[in-house]
């Protein structure tokens, strides 16, 4: 799927990032609890990132991209084909 600026503007960016964050975590075979512990957070707090309720800050984006071996583009535009 061709993602563009208009795609991001039409969608909830926090929701898109949350979906992609979840996909990356599952692809690595990690639980929310494991990732939360690495972020010094509780699992319910981390869950809010994946559900799109809370935005990630820059430091968390970099940390999670390194942890999941993805790029920020993967996080914002998708890891897997969404067709």
């Amino acid at each position: 799927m061709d993602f563009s600026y208009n795609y991001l503007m039409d969608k909830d960016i926090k929701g898109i990032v949350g979906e992609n964050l979840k996909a990356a975590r599952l692809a690595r075979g990690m639980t929310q609890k494991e990732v939360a512990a690495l972020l010094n957070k509780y699992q319910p707090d981390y869950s809010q990132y994946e559900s799109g309720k809370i935005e990630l800050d820059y430091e968390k984006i970099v940390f999670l991209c390194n942890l999941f071996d993805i790029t920020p583009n993967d996080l914002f535009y998708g890891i897997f084909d969404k067709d």
Side-chain angles (χ1 to χ4, degrees):
M1 175 177 239
D2 180 32
F3 290 100
S4 66
Y5 178 76
N6 288 334
Y7 172 80
L8 287 176
M9 294 309 294
D10 290 341
K11 300 286 184 174
D12 172 37
I13 294 174
K14 290 185 292 187
I16 293 167
V17 170
E19 289 173 11
N20 293 329
L21 187 61
K22 180 178 180 178
R25 176 180 57 77
L26 293 174
R28 290 299 241 185
M30 296 182 77
T31 66
Q32 286 186 345
K33 187 174 182 178
E34 291 170 328
V35 178
L38 293 171
L39 289 169
N40 294 316
K41 299 238 174 239
Y42 294 107
Q43 180 275 327
D45 297 331
Y46 174 78
S47 175
Q48 292 186 357
Y49 296 128
E50 287 190 6
S51 66
K53 293 179 183 172
I54 296 178
E55 291 182 14
L56 292 164
D57 60 42
Y58 296 127
E59 291 172 356
K60 287 181 187 67
I61 289 171
V62 170
F63 178 84
L64 291 168
C65 285
N66 285 326
L67 177 65
F68 297 139
D69 194 26
I70 61 173
T71 68
N73 280 346
D74 295 330
L75 200 55
F76 284 92
Y77 293 105
I79 302 161
F80 305 103
D81 186 19
K82 296 185 182 233
D83 282 337

